[in-house]
Amino acid sequence: MRNFKEDVALNTLNHSCAHLMAQAVKHLYPQAKFWVGPVVEEGFYYDIDLGDDVIRDEDLAKIEKEMKKCAKADKRIVRQEITREEALEQFKDDEYKIDLINRMPEGTHISMYTQGDFTDLCRGPHTESTKNCRYFKLIKHSGAYWKGDKNNKVLQRIYGVCLPTQEELDSHLADLEDAKQRDHRKLGKDMQIFMFSDIVGGGLPLWLPNGLTVRRLLSDYIMNKELARGYQHVLTPSVASTKLYKISGHLAHYKDDMFPIMSRDDDEFVLRPMNCPEHMIIYKSQLHSYRDLPIRIAEIANDFRFEASGALTGIERSRAFTQNDSHIFCTEEQIASEIKAVTELILDVYKDFNLNQFEFRLSLRDKENTEKYFGNDDLWERSESELREVLKEMNVPYYEAEGEAAFYGPKIDVQVRSALGHDVTLSTIQLDYQLPERFELEYVANGGEKKRPVVIHRAILGSIDRFVAFLLEETKGILPLWLAPRQAVVIPVSPEAHGEYAKKVVEELRKIGVRTELDDRNEKLGYRIREAQTNKLPIEVVVGDGEIENNGITLRRYGSRQETKMSLEEFLAAIKVEIDEKRLAPEVQKA
């Protein structure tokens, strides 16, 4: 997807088209007054005060028709500079323009642009003529508080997009439609994966039975991977005393992102934003020898962060989420081998999910703004160099990004390109000398002296919530068979004549752990098959006279019209292998 804000040519074109839209709106709604009309990543919008009028869906076509007239008129877009005082006089009846002008310092020369009968304040630049903006589409509309303040009036916000040619516009609109179908918020609702409720609270997802199935399967999957690599799983509380977060530094450095403090019984508690402090306490509960290290503590942990309401994005970014988290306590000599092992685990998981478009990012502190980080320059230089050397030793391509480090240490982030074109951080590896110091962690070294361990923070799936959102958008909700919350439906051709055999097939599938439903409703066969396709059920098993006679089934896959006849025994064996091996592509074929 293009970024209209960063592309200079598209930025200019879309800003000009925003003025074209404003001109058309002024023709249709003479009372209209305009606030701001910026270019954003996906096109442009304009905030408009229409008085008592309200924009409805059907009004967009009317505005587009008028915009086409304005574009066809081929009016030159002319820039003019006036003084601040002249601007105040010219726009004296428009409180929105007066507000903008009053923000400008005395003596400022203000630019405005005129196209035919429409003039507006603007810094520009613009295209030469309105005819350059003829390939456009108004996408949607909504309400927006003036200046983003809920105490102010609600304005009408209209979104649009403009491209240089009709072909490019058509292609972009097709991409937008694809993105709409991939939006995990829509898919999550349609597939009954999760929901939100204003009564429960913004950003607090409710996971429905289908969603919990997906979460459980993902949790079991990654826990088994970790257990095979020597991780020890724990469970720690989601709330803790503020004493813990004062030691860790979260209360000082992360307070704005945490839920408010709760006071009770002369103590203060807070919902945790992350799990590292609790894991430090677990490590510290015993005396460890160098022979014990590395110690890998892992948890599927519930965390809470008070994200701004405007930043909430379904389960991709919420206020309650679950992390696939771990902390590795090791010696300095073990840093390289442990980070390599974590990187190999990340690549192994990505291979299982066929994730190929990703980059490694070395996230460093901002050297110009060091007050928000723990520790001294020497420790930061040392830990950043160690991560850089490990990446070089592994011959892993990477890029560096200043200002993206955690407040306690640098990290390696794996940036995955989503199907919607978003740059998403799924996995992370963080090197930390600070928390072992703050919690006074120790181990007994080979010579008997006590030393500080180093901590490697790492998350493979990252937030399981975000990983589910990512998978839904990657697959359009067509999850691999092993992960699908509803895996199969058995459909008897005639519920009366073939219902008993269909129940037998359901029982056999359930015996091997396949999540199976029976559709024996008194509806036409074609209707039931189409509904299974609409519900994106991976496997449809149709049974009739022939299947009963041969103790077999007819298999249909989601998205395919092909039918495969096979014995029930062959089918059960093949489907079990596909699920057990977590195959991504449908491979159940007649033996």
Side-chain angles (χ1 to χ4, degrees):
M1 299 286 284
R2 302 187 185 197
N3 187 323
F4 290 79
K5 192 173 183 180
E6 293 182 356
D7 186 308
V8 175
L10 285 178
N11 190 312
T12 300
L13 183 63
N14 277 264
H15 194 57
S16 300
C17 196
H19 278 230
L20 183 75
M21 183 183 75
Q23 182 180 16
V25 168
K26 192 69 174 175
H27 289 174
L28 298 171
Y29 305 90
Q31 80 279 16
K33 295 179 180 179
F34 302 92
W35 172 231
V36 290
V39 176
V40 290
E41 288 185 12
E42 57 275 2
F44 65 85
Y45 71 77
Y46 227 121
D47 284 348
I48 309 166
D49 183 352
L50 295 178
D52 294 331
D53 284 324
V54 177
I55 294 292
R56 294 176 175 82
D57 292 347
E58 57 268 25
D59 295 324
L60 295 185
K62 183 172 64 174
I63 296 170
E64 285 181 338
K65 184 177 180 180
E66 186 64 26
M67 288 173 69
K68 289 176 182 177
K69 289 182 183 178
C70 295
K72 190 176 181 181
D74 190 15
K75 296 294 184 182
R76 286 191 63 224
I77 302 174
V78 180
R79 185 177 189 273
Q80 180 184 357
E81 277 196 3
I82 58 177
T83 66
R84 184 174 178 277
E85 290 69 27
E86 288 171 331
L88 287 170
E89 175 60 29
Q90 181 160 339
F91 294 97
K92 62 184 178 182
D93 297 324
D94 189 328
E95 63 269 32
Y96 300 103
K97 300 305 176 191
I98 294 297
D99 183 85
L100 287 172
I101 296 166
N102 282 333
R103 297 185 187 193
M104 302 175 188
E106 296 284 346
T108 300
H109 276 72
I110 298 171
S111 60
M112 61 183 188
Y113 285 80
T114 299
Q115 51 195 62
D117 57 0
F118 180 75
T119 298
D120 201 2
L121 296 175
C122 187
R123 286 177 297 186
H126 283 272
T127 60
E128 291 184 358
S129 167
T130 58
K131 74 174 182 180
N132 298 122
C133 306
R134 60 191 182 274
Y135 305 113
F136 59 82
K137 181 68 179 174
L138 298 186
I139 305 298
K140 61 181 179 179
H141 63 93
S142 66
Y145 292 113
W146 181 37
K147 301 183 184 179
D149 187 340
K150 65 181 181 180
N151 296 313
N152 287 340
K153 183 174 183 177
V154 175
L155 305 181
Q156 308 286 303
R157 177 173 291 183
I158 303 176
Y159 292 86
V161 64
C162 187
L163 275 298
T165 67
Q166 186 64 48
E167 292 76 16
E168 289 176 277
L169 177 62
D170 290 342
S171 175
H172 181 74
L173 293 177
D175 288 343
L176 288 180
E177 182 57 32
D178 181 66
K180 182 179 177 182
Q181 296 304 315
R182 289 182 184 274
D183 190 325
H184 82 274
R185 292 166 292 187
K186 178 182 185 301
L187 291 167
K189 180 179 179 181
D190 293 346
M191 296 172 66
Q192 298 180 45
I193 300 290
F194 61 88
M195 63 171 283
F196 289 90
S197 166
D198 291 338
I199 296 173
V200 174
L204 302 173
L206 302 171
W207 287 84
L208 303 176
N210 286 343
L212 186 59
T213 297
V214 176
R215 284 175 61 104
R216 175 177 57 79
L217 291 166
L218 282 173
S219 296
D220 290 347
Y221 161 82
I222 195 63
M223 285 177 72
N224 289 334
K225 290 269 189 187
E226 291 169 343
L227 289 170
R229 289 164 173 79
Y231 286 82
Q232 303 173 68
H233 278 261
V234 299
L235 180 64
T236 59
S238 298
V239 62
S241 169
T242 54
K243 299 185 189 78
L244 179 67
Y245 302 110
K246 286 177 182 176
I247 296 172
S248 69
H250 286 93
L251 214 57
H253 284 257
Y254 211 75
K255 186 177 180 181
D256 291 343
D257 296 299
M258 297 169 69
F259 273 77
I261 293 170
M262 301 172 281
S263 298
R264 195 73 181 255
D265 296 335
D266 298 323
D267 202 351
E268 292 181 332
F269 300 88
V270 70
L271 290 169
R272 69 177 177 195
M274 52 193 70
N275 327 299
C276 35
E278 287 83 353
H279 291 189
M280 303 296 145
I281 297 299
I282 288 177
Y283 175 89
K284 193 174 181 178
S285 66
Q286 297 180 42
L287 180 63
H288 299 284
S289 162
Y290 71 95
R291 293 188 182 91
D292 302 326
L293 304 185
I295 292 173
R296 307 179 186 99
I297 297 176
E299 183 173 5
I300 305 295
N302 296 325
D303 293 326
F304 305 86
R305 298 176 188 173
F306 200 81
E307 301 280 2
S309 58
L312 298 175
T313 313
I315 56 171
E316 182 180 318
R317 191 161 187 176
S318 60
R319 288 171 174 163
F321 58 99
T322 302
Q323 287 200 79
N324 159 224
D325 205 10
S326 176
H327 298 90
I328 301 170
F329 300 83
C330 64
T331 67
E332 291 184 29
E333 293 76 21
Q334 294 168 333
I335 290 173
S337 60
E338 286 302 304
I339 291 178
K340 287 177 185 176
V342 172
T343 305
E344 288 166 0
L345 175 55
I346 290 171
L347 295 176
D348 183 41
V349 168
Y350 285 14
K351 182 180 178 182
D352 286 348
F353 287 95
N354 197 31
L355 303 182
N356 301 310
Q357 295 190 37
F358 59 87
E359 291 182 293
F360 283 81
R361 181 182 76 187
L362 179 56
S363 298
L364 311 172
R365 69 170 176 165
D366 181 357
K367 293 180 180 178
E368 302 299 321
N369 186 21
T370 58
E371 67 275 2
K372 65 179 181 177
Y373 302 100
F374 280 167
N376 57 51
D377 291 344
D378 290 342
L379 272 180
W380 274 92
E381 293 291 341
R382 178 178 169 188
S383 52
E384 289 177 351
S385 296
E386 285 171 333
L387 287 183
R388 190 179 288 111
E389 286 306 311
V390 171
L391 287 169
K392 288 179 179 177
E393 283 178 30
M394 294 187 68
N395 198 28
V396 174
Y398 70 94
Y399 67 98
E400 298 188 1
E402 283 197 6
E404 295 294 336
F407 66 82
Y408 47 77
K411 54 182 179 165
I412 298 169
D413 291 322
V414 187
Q415 303 298 112
V416 179
R417 196 72 174 170
S418 76
L420 298 182
H422 299 158
D423 196 23
V424 179
T425 301
L426 285 187
S427 308
T428 186
I429 310 169
Q430 304 171 6
L431 186 58
D432 180 11
Y433 284 92
Q434 313 293 342
L435 290 186
E437 191 69 36
R438 294 180 72 90
F439 281 93
E440 299 180 343
L441 303 185
E442 295 177 334
Y443 70 91
V444 180
N446 191 15
E449 71 277 18
K450 291 185 178 180
K451 287 189 173 182
R452 294 262 186 264
V454 181
V455 172
I456 298 170
H457 306 240
R458 51 107 290 200
I460 307 303
L461 299 183
S463 157
I464 289 181
D465 309 62
R466 179 177 291 180
F467 196 79
V468 171
F470 178 81
L471 284 180
L472 289 175
E473 293 180 351
E474 285 292 296
T475 64
K476 284 190 178 180
I478 309 165
L479 297 171
L481 181 60
W482 71 271
L483 198 54
R486 302 160 67 197
Q487 293 174 311
V489 59
V490 179
I491 306 173
V493 175
S494 165
E496 293 80 11
H498 313 121
E500 286 305 312
Y501 182 70
K503 290 176 183 177
K504 173 191 170 183
V505 175
V506 169
E507 288 175 8
E508 294 299 320
L509 282 165
R510 287 177 177 172
K511 281 179 184 177
I512 61 172
V514 180
R515 295 178 289 281
T516 311
E517 301 171 3
L518 173 66
D519 188 352
D520 58 355
R521 292 173 299 163
N522 189 26
E523 299 283 357
K524 290 183 179 180
L525 177 63
Y527 175 85
R528 286 178 284 153
I529 288 174
R530 284 193 300 275
E531 189 170 275
Q533 289 282 317
T534 300
N535 291 333
K536 299 184 179 180
L537 285 165
I539 290 175
E540 301 161 36
V541 178
V542 180
V543 295
D545 290 338
E547 287 75 21
I548 293 174
E549 183 179 340
N550 298 304
N551 195 36
I553 60 99
T554 295
L555 169 69
R556 292 173 59 102
R557 289 277 187 175
Y558 173 78
S560 172
R561 294 184 178 181
Q562 181 180 347
E563 295 184 346
T564 305
K565 294 185 180 295
M566 57 202 308
S567 73
L568 178 58
E569 184 180 357
E570 288 174 322
F571 171 65
L572 292 172
I575 204 75
K576 189 174 189 308
V577 169
E578 181 179 346
I579 292 171
D580 289 348
E581 294 184 358
K582 295 181 171 56
R583 294 178 184 171
L584 295 177
E587 295 180 26
V588 177
Q589 300 174 355
K590 186 173 180 179

